[in-house]
Amino acid sequence: MAASPAPRPGPAETAPRRAARTRTVPELDALVATCRACPRLVAWREAAGEVKRAAFRDETYWARPVPGFGPADAAILVVGLAPAANGGNRTGRMFTGDPSGEVLFAALHATGLATGAHPVSREDGIELIRTRLTAPVHCAPPENKPTAAERHTCAPYLGRELELLAGTVRVIVVLGGFGWQALLATLADAGWPIPRPRPRFGHGARVRLAHPDGRELTVLGCYHVSPHNTYTGRLTPAMLEQVFTDAKAVAGL
């Protein structure tokens, strides 16, 4: 079956800068799913939905931008990199349908932040508990490598997501260096004073931030849950579970 076509509203409706006018998290998620702002990513995500991996040849791919997943009152925000071509780009949900998602959800479930450990589809019934998953780039990129320009184009979505979660989010867990740099840039744009020199990414890195309006935020670094890290033992289940245990403690959950 061919990939389901993405909606094609006019340019003014699909521009990421329109994110600033969304009023709720579900409204932002709906806007993200219509975006066609990056021609290279649009072509790649749709091609992946046409030229499918053999194991998924009978499935209809989502083949659109993948919005965040989780409740609008999240205390913990998890920031990844971008959807996988045959994972989130296939299922339409962050970290769902690929080995990275299996590792992540297993840790979330083990630490009481998810109701299930094996994410397979948007209809699998799994819910996140006071936790939300997102990414600085919402489309699957070639070789899992978005460009700096694509990250910049997608940045208004992450910025608005942080604004809409401002009343509840207390901890941000960042998976990998790409997400770390993207998040710190977005926080700086939102008026959060970022230490100089800018904090470096590392597993176990911890940065406490204080906004001029009185809000506080803790950013935790964690190796990405990619197969490269998990298959080699660079990131173990115990290491990942410890990050989420720490996040829960900071968030008061």
Side-chain angles (χ1 to χ4, degrees), residues 180-194:
W180 183 268
Q181 295 301 326
L183 175 70
L184 292 184
T186 298
L187 290 174
D189 289 343
W192 288 87
I194 306 299

Side-chain angles (χ1 to χ4, degrees), residues 22-47:
T22 58
R23 295 167 294 176
T24 65
V25 169
E27 186 179 346
L28 176 66
D29 289 344
L31 177 65
V32 167
T34 69
C35 189
R36 301 183 65 84
C38 298
R40 186 182 81 116
L41 298 186
V42 170
W44 177 259
R45 78 193 190 207
E46 294 181 356

Side-chain angles (χ1 to χ4, degrees), residues 207-241:
V207 180
R208 294 183 177 89
L209 302 175
H211 196 278
D213 66 9
R215 285 179 291 152
E216 296 183 351
L217 189 63
T218 299
V219 180
L220 303 178
C222 178
Y223 291 143
H224 196 278
V225 289
S226 67
H228 173 74
N229 288 332
T230 58
Y231 291 172
T232 61
R234 187 181 191 218
L235 177 65
T236 66
M239 291 168 63
L240 187 57
E241 289 174 23

Side-chain angles (χ1 to χ4, degrees), residues 65-235:
V66 180
F69 171 59
D73 66 345
I76 300 171
L77 183 66
V78 182
V79 177
L81 192 161
N86 296 288
N89 186 58
R90 172 173 60 89
T91 62
R93 195 174 75 187
M94 286 283 175
F95 289 104
T96 297
D98 61 18
S100 296
E102 283 285 324
V103 172
L104 178 61
F105 272 78
L108 291 171
H109 184 252
T111 53
L113 295 174
T115 61
H118 302 291
V120 294
S121 75
R122 297 192 307 280
E123 291 77 36
D124 60 17
I126 293 177
E127 296 180 359
L128 298 183
I129 301 167
R130 299 299 307 278
T131 303
R132 182 170 168 84
L133 309 179
T134 193
V137 175
H138 286 275
C139 291
E143 300 181 347
N144 293 319
K145 294 180 180 178
T147 66
E150 288 160 351
R151 184 184 74 184
H152 179 75
T153 298
C154 213
Y157 296 132
L158 180 58
R160 185 55 179 160
E161 193 166 12
L162 289 168
E163 289 175 347
L164 292 171
L165 294 171
T168 61
V169 72
R170 295 292 176 266
V171 183
I172 303 180
V173 175
V174 187
L175 305 176
F178 184 94
W180 183 268
Q181 295 301 326
L183 175 70
L184 292 184
T186 298
L187 290 174
D189 289 343
W192 288 87
I194 306 299
R196 296 289 183 182
R198 184 165 288 190
R200 297 181 62 181
F201 171 75
H203 187 84
R206 180 183 296 235
V207 180
R208 294 183 177 89
L209 302 175
H211 196 278
D213 66 9
R215 285 179 291 152
E216 296 183 351
L217 189 63
T218 299
V219 180
L220 303 178
C222 178
Y223 291 143
H224 196 278
V225 289
S226 67
H228 173 74
N229 288 332
T230 58
Y231 291 172
T232 61
R234 187 181 191 218
L235 177 65

